[in-house]
Each structure stands twice: as structure tokens, then as C-alpha cells.
Amino acid sequence: MTNPSVEFWKDRKVLVTGHTGFKGSWLVYWLHQMGANTVGVGLAPLASPNLFTLLNISTLCESHFLDIRNYEELQSLIIKSRPEIVIHMAAQALVRSSYKDPLYTFDTNVMGTANVLNALRDLSSIKSVVCVTTDKVYKNQEHFYPYREIDELGGYDPYSASKAASEIVISSYRDSFLFQQGVAVASARAGNVIGGGDWSQDRLIPDAIRAWDLGIPLEIRRPDAIRPWQHVLEPLRAYLQLAEQLYENPSLVGAFNFGPEPNELISVRDIIELSKREYRVGKVIWGDGNGGPHEAGLLSLDISKSRNILGIEPCWNSEKTIQRTMKWYRLLKEGNSAQDLCLSDISAFTNPQNQFES
């Protein structure tokens, strides 16, 4: 396993969009630990509690509450910040929310991405860009064949379709403008992430924590759905390493899948049963898979390209991922600080000697 280089990231000027979200807060915290000079752009956090506040992210970076759909303000900030590296994560990231407001989803995910990339044109400081999309960009036939980066894009729901469309935007800006400018651009397609500090609506673990802390049963719509679950630190490490390697070797442009090993694909039912055991409390009402709007029942990714080209290997298996996640929430409830818990997870994740720490 290789980790991001502290020597590379120290004092590096990095722009992170979506820094107020679950993944964004973890990323800025990790960048801060490595000494990066980070500028964050995102909407004010909606959930309460939220990791952005618990980690005091606004004190760890130059933080701006800004909607990436506002091109003029975004462009002005990017030009002023003059980043060397951009990690673009800002998005409307929920499938069920995309059914409720598809236009907002397309506007944020497609035009927001175009706004970020267009603002980088003719900016001499920028060297590498990682645009985060999703594992759901593929036209999902729900077979056991894991999707490769060269497979057909698609999207049944507005969220998936918007992310597939943003992949085309990313490719267009890379080929038409940024590569000739000496800027290396890649897209990162990561599987479903879990980890301590997520309180978003309509996400499996946050929904479980809310229900169990209130002493009510968790209702599961599709217990047999299978996804490429991974700890939040897995894709974040991949984004950092991808950005780092793009900076050093611009020929690595393109799309990369990041996810668990194929034998680590497990169902929602298995995730919840393991979570109950680790959280030491919890009742569940199992649905029959028929409630709510359409969501894919099976999805898996082929990660051989990221392994062979970037040298990125998954670190924690599904059991370890759930163990660390539920321990984070349990210890937070017992009075531990979010800062200490995140630092502990990063230390255990990046230090092989701590891989079997309980």
C-alpha cells in the first residue's frame, strides 16, 4: 500500500470544491495534517450535526461558502486563489434527491463541473485536476460483470445521468483546452463510501445512526441490493494519489475506477447486520425491495486500471470498514472529539502496523 506523499503536499496550493460535505471535510482535514495550503469552496452545510463544524474545517483552510453554479464568483475566486491542484467534489450527490429536483441536480453536476473547468482555462498556476464523479456513471445492466473505464456511460435516475454527462464535459474540456495548456485532468469513479461523520439524508449508515440513537427501528427498502462499499479514506487516498501522479506525469489523464476487491461486494443486509453488531444496538424492519423510486440492485467496478497504472490497492475489507465506521459514531457519542477520531482513523489507515487495531 502506498500513501499520499507528505513531502509533496506540504505547502501545496490546493482548491477543494465541496469542502463542507462529508468527504470534503475528511479531505481537508487530511490535507491539513500534511501541511497543504487549502482553499475550500462549497455550500453551507445543511445537516446537523455535520463533520465540517465538528472538525472546525473553516479554521483549517481558506473557506468560502459559494455555489459553483455562480460562474462569475467562482471564476473570480479561482483566479485569485491560483491553485496548483484542484479536487472537484461539489455535487448534488443523492439519488433520491435527484428525483425530487432533477433540474437542480443537472445544473449543479453538469454545469457546475463545466464552470470549474472553464475557470481554469489560461490559469498558469494549475497543473492537475481530479474531478470526482461516481460508480453510477455506467449504463448498469445489473450483471456480475464489473464495469471498466471503457464501458458505456448511462444513467437511469437523474443523479446517475448527470454524473455520466459530467464525464463527457470533463473529457471535452481536457481535450479541447486544458491538456494543450499543460493541465492534466482525470475523473475518479468511486464506489459507495461510508465512514464516521456522515449525517446526510437518505444514506444507509447515517439513517441507521439516526434511527438507533432515537431508539426506533431502521427501515430498509432494498436489503438485497449490492454495492461496492468502501471506507471514505479509500477514495480520498485515491484522489490524492491520482492528483499527485498527474502532477508528476500528465500522460495519466483519463478515467479511473476506485473501489473494493470483487470478493468484498456485500449486500445492504450484510452491512446492517455487521453495523448492528459493532454499534451494539439497533432494530431493523426489512423491506421487500419495492418501495421508493428505481435504484439499481447490483453494481461492481473493475479496479485493475487504478491498481496497474497508479499502484492503488484497497486497504480495509468490508468488515474492517464497518468496524471503524461504527466505532467512530459510538465513541463520538461517548464524548470523544471528532478531530481525535478522524486522526485515529487516518493513522490506522496509513500505518500498516495499525491495520489490525480494533
Side-chain angles (χ1 to χ4, degrees), residues 1-30:
M1 181 187 73
T2 57
N3 292 311
S5 167
V6 175
E7 292 75 17
F8 175 87
W9 289 100
K10 182 175 174 55
D11 298 322
R12 190 74 63 184
K13 193 64 174 289
V14 186
L15 177 77
V16 175
T17 74
H19 75 303
T20 58
F22 163 56
K23 289 170 69 176
S25 296
W26 268 99
L27 179 60
V28 172
Y29 190 72
W30 197 346

mmCIF file of all heavy atoms in Angstrom, residues 1-30:
data_model
loop_
_atom_site.group_PDB
_atom_site.id
_atom_site.type_symbol
_atom_site.label_atom_id
_atom_site.label_comp_id
_atom_site.label_asym_id
_atom_site.label_seq_id
_atom_site.Cartn_x
_atom_site.Cartn_y
_atom_site.Cartn_z
ATOM 1 N N MET A 1 0.843 -1.195 0.000
ATOM 2 C CA MET A 1 0.000 0.000 0.000
ATOM 3 C C MET A 1 0.876 1.242 0.000
ATOM 4 O O MET A 1 1.832 1.336 0.764
ATOM 5 C CB MET A 1 -0.905 0.017 1.232
ATOM 6 C CG MET A 1 -1.826 1.227 1.298
ATOM 7 S SD MET A 1 -2.741 1.332 2.868
ATOM 8 C CE MET A 1 -1.411 1.828 3.978
ATOM 9 N N THR A 2 0.567 2.187 -0.881
ATOM 10 C CA THR A 2 1.271 3.467 -0.888
ATOM 11 C C THR A 2 0.320 4.560 -0.431
ATOM 12 O O THR A 2 -0.880 4.506 -0.678
ATOM 13 C CB THR A 2 1.801 3.790 -2.282
ATOM 14 O OG1 THR A 2 0.711 3.787 -3.222
ATOM 15 C CG2 THR A 2 2.849 2.773 -2.722
ATOM 16 N N ASN A 3 0.876 5.552 0.238
ATOM 17 C CA ASN A 3 0.088 6.655 0.768
ATOM 18 C C ASN A 3 0.467 7.956 0.076
ATOM 19 O O ASN A 3 1.529 8.059 -0.549
ATOM 20 C CB ASN A 3 0.336 6.788 2.274
ATOM 21 C CG ASN A 3 -0.210 5.618 3.061
ATOM 22 O OD1 ASN A 3 -1.347 5.228 2.885
ATOM 23 N ND2 ASN A 3 0.627 5.050 3.926
ATOM 24 N N PRO A 4 -0.382 8.980 0.172
ATOM 25 C CA PRO A 4 -0.007 10.290 -0.352
ATOM 26 C C PRO A 4 1.300 10.759 0.277
ATOM 27 O O PRO A 4 1.562 10.512 1.454
ATOM 28 C CB PRO A 4 -1.181 11.177 0.059
ATOM 29 C CG PRO A 4 -2.332 10.250 0.235
ATOM 30 C CD PRO A 4 -1.735 8.970 0.743
ATOM 31 N N SER A 5 2.112 11.445 -0.510
ATOM 32 C CA SER A 5 3.415 11.911 -0.039
ATOM 33 C C SER A 5 3.266 13.212 0.746
ATOM 34 O O SER A 5 2.838 14.230 0.198
ATOM 35 C CB SER A 5 4.350 12.129 -1.230
ATOM 36 O OG SER A 5 5.506 12.841 -0.844
ATOM 37 N N VAL A 6 3.637 13.164 2.025
ATOM 38 C CA VAL A 6 3.584 14.374 2.846
ATOM 39 C C VAL A 6 4.513 15.437 2.265
ATOM 40 O O VAL A 6 4.184 16.632 2.246
ATOM 41 C CB VAL A 6 3.960 14.046 4.302
ATOM 42 C CG1 VAL A 6 4.020 15.316 5.144
ATOM 43 C CG2 VAL A 6 2.958 13.059 4.902
ATOM 44 N N GLU A 7 5.662 14.999 1.759
ATOM 45 C CA GLU A 7 6.611 15.953 1.174
ATOM 46 C C GLU A 7 5.999 16.657 -0.035
ATOM 47 O O GLU A 7 6.229 17.858 -0.249
ATOM 48 C CB GLU A 7 7.897 15.233 0.761
ATOM 49 C CG GLU A 7 8.732 14.719 1.920
ATOM 50 C CD GLU A 7 8.153 13.463 2.570
ATOM 51 O OE1 GLU A 7 7.299 12.807 1.927
ATOM 52 O OE2 GLU A 7 8.550 13.143 3.713
ATOM 53 N N PHE A 8 5.213 15.921 -0.829
ATOM 54 C CA PHE A 8 4.593 16.532 -1.999
ATOM 55 C C PHE A 8 3.531 17.539 -1.594
ATOM 56 O O PHE A 8 3.443 18.644 -2.156
ATOM 57 C CB PHE A 8 3.964 15.458 -2.894
ATOM 58 C CG PHE A 8 3.198 16.014 -4.066
ATOM 59 C CD1 PHE A 8 3.839 16.309 -5.252
ATOM 60 C CD2 PHE A 8 1.827 16.257 -3.975
ATOM 61 C CE1 PHE A 8 3.142 16.840 -6.332
ATOM 62 C CE2 PHE A 8 1.120 16.788 -5.042
ATOM 63 C CZ PHE A 8 1.777 17.075 -6.224
ATOM 64 N N TRP A 9 2.687 17.196 -0.627
ATOM 65 C CA TRP A 9 1.522 18.022 -0.308
ATOM 66 C C TRP A 9 1.841 19.187 0.623
ATOM 67 O O TRP A 9 1.068 20.147 0.685
ATOM 68 C CB TRP A 9 0.421 17.146 0.303
ATOM 69 C CG TRP A 9 -0.188 16.236 -0.724
ATOM 70 C CD1 TRP A 9 0.091 14.915 -0.916
ATOM 71 C CD2 TRP A 9 -1.136 16.602 -1.725
ATOM 72 N NE1 TRP A 9 -0.636 14.423 -1.981
ATOM 73 C CE2 TRP A 9 -1.401 15.438 -2.489
ATOM 74 C CE3 TRP A 9 -1.812 17.780 -2.051
ATOM 75 C CZ2 TRP A 9 -2.301 15.427 -3.553
ATOM 76 C CZ3 TRP A 9 -2.702 17.777 -3.110
ATOM 77 C CH2 TRP A 9 -2.936 16.619 -3.847
ATOM 78 N N LYS A 10 2.955 19.144 1.314
ATOM 79 C CA LYS A 10 3.296 20.234 2.232
ATOM 80 C C LYS A 10 3.420 21.553 1.467
ATOM 81 O O LYS A 10 4.157 21.647 0.484
ATOM 82 C CB LYS A 10 4.590 19.926 2.976
ATOM 83 C CG LYS A 10 4.979 20.998 3.994
ATOM 84 C CD LYS A 10 6.194 20.588 4.788
ATOM 85 C CE LYS A 10 6.678 21.711 5.701
ATOM 86 N NZ LYS A 10 5.613 22.203 6.613
ATOM 87 N N ASP A 11 2.654 22.555 1.888
ATOM 88 C CA ASP A 11 2.623 23.902 1.301
ATOM 89 C C ASP A 11 2.054 23.944 -0.116
ATOM 90 O O ASP A 11 2.103 24.991 -0.768
ATOM 91 C CB ASP A 11 4.024 24.544 1.296
ATOM 92 C CG ASP A 11 4.571 24.732 2.705
ATOM 93 O OD1 ASP A 11 3.772 25.066 3.605
ATOM 94 O OD2 ASP A 11 5.784 24.536 2.907
ATOM 95 N N ARG A 12 1.525 22.825 -0.601
ATOM 96 C CA ARG A 12 0.932 22.803 -1.945
ATOM 97 C C ARG A 12 -0.383 23.576 -1.935
ATOM 98 O O ARG A 12 -1.193 23.417 -1.030
ATOM 99 C CB ARG A 12 0.691 21.353 -2.389
ATOM 100 C CG ARG A 12 0.310 21.178 -3.851
ATOM 101 C CD ARG A 12 1.484 21.388 -4.765
ATOM 102 N NE ARG A 12 2.555 20.417 -4.556
ATOM 103 C CZ ARG A 12 3.724 20.463 -5.196
ATOM 104 N NH1 ARG A 12 3.962 21.437 -6.057
ATOM 105 N NH2 ARG A 12 4.663 19.563 -4.950
ATOM 106 N N LYS A 13 -0.619 24.405 -2.937
ATOM 107 C CA LYS A 13 -1.856 25.191 -3.027
ATOM 108 C C LYS A 13 -2.937 24.334 -3.696
ATOM 109 O O LYS A 13 -2.842 23.993 -4.872
ATOM 110 C CB LYS A 13 -1.623 26.467 -3.840
ATOM 111 C CG LYS A 13 -2.737 27.502 -3.734
ATOM 112 C CD LYS A 13 -2.873 28.032 -2.316
ATOM 113 C CE LYS A 13 -3.872 29.173 -2.200
ATOM 114 N NZ LYS A 13 -3.396 30.431 -2.805
ATOM 115 N N VAL A 14 -3.950 23.992 -2.933
ATOM 116 C CA VAL A 14 -4.988 23.056 -3.384
ATOM 117 C C VAL A 14 -6.356 23.718 -3.253
ATOM 118 O O VAL A 14 -6.671 24.314 -2.217
ATOM 119 C CB VAL A 14 -4.971 21.759 -2.546
ATOM 120 C CG1 VAL A 14 -5.956 20.742 -3.108
ATOM 121 C CG2 VAL A 14 -3.564 21.176 -2.476
ATOM 122 N N LEU A 15 -7.157 23.599 -4.297
ATOM 123 C CA LEU A 15 -8.553 24.027 -4.244
ATOM 124 C C LEU A 15 -9.438 22.799 -4.147
ATOM 125 O O LEU A 15 -9.337 21.889 -4.989
ATOM 126 C CB LEU A 15 -8.929 24.836 -5.487
ATOM 127 C CG LEU A 15 -10.396 25.279 -5.554
ATOM 128 C CD1 LEU A 15 -10.646 26.461 -4.635
ATOM 129 C CD2 LEU A 15 -10.797 25.648 -6.992
ATOM 130 N N VAL A 16 -10.278 22.744 -3.136
ATOM 131 C CA VAL A 16 -11.227 21.640 -2.955
ATOM 132 C C VAL A 16 -12.632 22.205 -3.069
ATOM 133 O O VAL A 16 -13.022 23.069 -2.267
ATOM 134 C CB VAL A 16 -11.045 20.954 -1.589
ATOM 135 C CG1 VAL A 16 -12.128 19.899 -1.367
ATOM 136 C CG2 VAL A 16 -9.656 20.327 -1.483
ATOM 137 N N THR A 17 -13.403 21.739 -4.046
ATOM 138 C CA THR A 17 -14.818 22.103 -4.087
ATOM 139 C C THR A 17 -15.617 21.045 -3.336
ATOM 140 O O THR A 17 -15.264 19.866 -3.341
ATOM 141 C CB THR A 17 -15.344 22.217 -5.529
ATOM 142 O OG1 THR A 17 -15.496 20.907 -6.092
ATOM 143 C CG2 THR A 17 -14.417 23.058 -6.402
ATOM 144 N N GLY A 18 -16.680 21.474 -2.673
ATOM 145 C CA GLY A 18 -17.443 20.545 -1.843
ATOM 146 C C GLY A 18 -16.782 20.281 -0.514
ATOM 147 O O GLY A 18 -16.988 19.219 0.096
ATOM 148 N N HIS A 19 -16.014 21.253 -0.010
ATOM 149 C CA HIS A 19 -15.244 21.040 1.219
ATOM 150 C C HIS A 19 -16.123 21.004 2.465
ATOM 151 O O HIS A 19 -15.653 20.608 3.536
ATOM 152 C CB HIS A 19 -14.192 22.140 1.376
ATOM 153 C CG HIS A 19 -14.727 23.474 1.811
ATOM 154 N ND1 HIS A 19 -15.702 24.140 1.095
ATOM 155 C CD2 HIS A 19 -14.432 24.260 2.889
ATOM 156 C CE1 HIS A 19 -15.980 25.283 1.718
ATOM 157 N NE2 HIS A 19 -15.229 25.375 2.797
ATOM 158 N N THR A 20 -17.378 21.400 2.348
ATOM 159 C CA THR A 20 -18.268 21.396 3.514
ATOM 160 C C THR A 20 -18.993 20.065 3.698
ATOM 161 O O THR A 20 -19.647 19.859 4.714
ATOM 162 C CB THR A 20 -19.312 22.517 3.388
ATOM 163 O OG1 THR A 20 -20.066 22.321 2.174
ATOM 164 C CG2 THR A 20 -18.650 23.881 3.343
ATOM 165 N N GLY A 21 -18.896 19.175 2.712
ATOM 166 C CA GLY A 21 -19.587 17.896 2.794
ATOM 167 C C GLY A 21 -18.819 16.863 3.604
ATOM 168 O O GLY A 21 -17.744 17.127 4.161
ATOM 169 N N PHE A 22 -19.376 15.679 3.659
ATOM 170 C CA PHE A 22 -18.788 14.576 4.418
ATOM 171 C C PHE A 22 -17.387 14.233 3.889
ATOM 172 O O PHE A 22 -16.392 14.306 4.612
ATOM 173 C CB PHE A 22 -19.739 13.382 4.343
ATOM 174 C CG PHE A 22 -19.145 12.053 4.713
ATOM 175 C CD1 PHE A 22 -18.544 11.861 5.946
ATOM 176 C CD2 PHE A 22 -19.217 10.978 3.826
ATOM 177 C CE1 PHE A 22 -18.012 10.628 6.291
ATOM 178 C CE2 PHE A 22 -18.698 9.745 4.168
ATOM 179 C CZ PHE A 22 -18.080 9.568 5.393
ATOM 180 N N LYS A 23 -17.295 13.898 2.605
ATOM 181 C CA LYS A 23 -15.993 13.559 2.028
ATOM 182 C C LYS A 23 -15.073 14.773 2.003
ATOM 183 O O LYS A 23 -13.871 14.664 2.248
ATOM 184 C CB LYS A 23 -16.168 12.998 0.614
ATOM 185 C CG LYS A 23 -16.773 11.608 0.573
ATOM 186 C CD LYS A 23 -17.140 11.194 -0.852
ATOM 187 C CE LYS A 23 -15.938 10.977 -1.717
ATOM 188 N NZ LYS A 23 -16.311 10.491 -3.078
ATOM 189 N N GLY A 24 -15.634 15.937 1.682
ATOM 190 C CA GLY A 24 -14.820 17.139 1.610
ATOM 191 C C GLY A 24 -14.187 17.499 2.935
ATOM 192 O O GLY A 24 -13.020 17.922 2.987
ATOM 193 N N SER A 25 -14.939 17.341 4.023
ATOM 194 C CA SER A 25 -14.392 17.646 5.351
ATOM 195 C C SER A 25 -13.254 16.702 5.712
ATOM 196 O O SER A 25 -12.210 17.121 6.230
ATOM 197 C CB SER A 25 -15.503 17.586 6.399
ATOM 198 O OG SER A 25 -16.478 18.584 6.174
ATOM 199 N N TRP A 26 -13.448 15.419 5.448
ATOM 200 C CA TRP A 26 -12.376 14.445 5.671
ATOM 201 C C TRP A 26 -11.140 14.822 4.847
ATOM 202 O O TRP A 26 -10.005 14.760 5.337
ATOM 203 C CB TRP A 26 -12.834 13.040 5.277
ATOM 204 C CG TRP A 26 -13.445 12.205 6.355
ATOM 205 C CD1 TRP A 26 -14.782 12.006 6.588
ATOM 206 C CD2 TRP A 26 -12.763 11.422 7.335
ATOM 207 N NE1 TRP A 26 -14.955 11.141 7.646
ATOM 208 C CE2 TRP A 26 -13.741 10.766 8.119
ATOM 209 C CE3 TRP A 26 -11.420 11.203 7.624
ATOM 210 C CZ2 TRP A 26 -13.417 9.915 9.174
ATOM 211 C CZ3 TRP A 26 -11.082 10.353 8.668
ATOM 212 C CH2 TRP A 26 -12.081 9.722 9.442
ATOM 213 N N LEU A 27 -11.342 15.200 3.576
ATOM 214 C CA LEU A 27 -10.219 15.506 2.696
ATOM 215 C C LEU A 27 -9.450 16.726 3.176
ATOM 216 O O LEU A 27 -8.208 16.707 3.235
ATOM 217 C CB LEU A 27 -10.713 15.725 1.271
ATOM 218 C CG LEU A 27 -9.641 16.069 0.237
ATOM 219 C CD1 LEU A 27 -8.594 14.962 0.139
ATOM 220 C CD2 LEU A 27 -10.258 16.335 -1.130
ATOM 221 N N VAL A 28 -10.152 17.796 3.522
ATOM 222 C CA VAL A 28 -9.470 18.997 4.001
ATOM 223 C C VAL A 28 -8.716 18.703 5.289
ATOM 224 O O VAL A 28 -7.593 19.186 5.493
ATOM 225 C CB VAL A 28 -10.463 20.154 4.195
ATOM 226 C CG1 VAL A 28 -9.783 21.338 4.883
ATOM 227 C CG2 VAL A 28 -11.050 20.589 2.861
ATOM 228 N N TYR A 29 -9.312 17.904 6.169
ATOM 229 C CA TYR A 29 -8.643 17.547 7.424
ATOM 230 C C TYR A 29 -7.348 16.793 7.137
ATOM 231 O O TYR A 29 -6.305 17.064 7.762
ATOM 232 C CB TYR A 29 -9.580 16.713 8.288
ATOM 233 C CG TYR A 29 -9.083 16.482 9.697
ATOM 234 C CD1 TYR A 29 -9.067 17.520 10.628
ATOM 235 C CD2 TYR A 29 -8.642 15.228 10.104
ATOM 236 C CE1 TYR A 29 -8.603 17.318 11.918
ATOM 237 C CE2 TYR A 29 -8.186 15.012 11.396
ATOM 238 C CZ TYR A 29 -8.177 16.062 12.299
ATOM 239 O OH TYR A 29 -7.714 15.862 13.584
ATOM 240 N N TRP A 30 -7.386 15.845 6.196
ATOM 241 C CA TRP A 30 -6.193 15.080 5.830
ATOM 242 C C TRP A 30 -5.145 16.001 5.191
ATOM 243 O O TRP A 30 -3.955 15.931 5.526
ATOM 244 C CB TRP A 30 -6.584 13.957 4.873
ATOM 245 C CG TRP A 30 -5.563 12.870 4.723
ATOM 246 C CD1 TRP A 30 -4.248 12.899 5.133
ATOM 247 C CD2 TRP A 30 -5.761 11.586 4.123
ATOM 248 N NE1 TRP A 30 -3.618 11.714 4.822
ATOM 249 C CE2 TRP A 30 -4.519 10.906 4.198
ATOM 250 C CE3 TRP A 30 -6.850 10.959 3.529
ATOM 251 C CZ2 TRP A 30 -4.356 9.606 3.681
ATOM 252 C CZ3 TRP A 30 -6.681 9.673 3.020
ATOM 253 C CH2 TRP A 30 -5.454 9.008 3.104
#
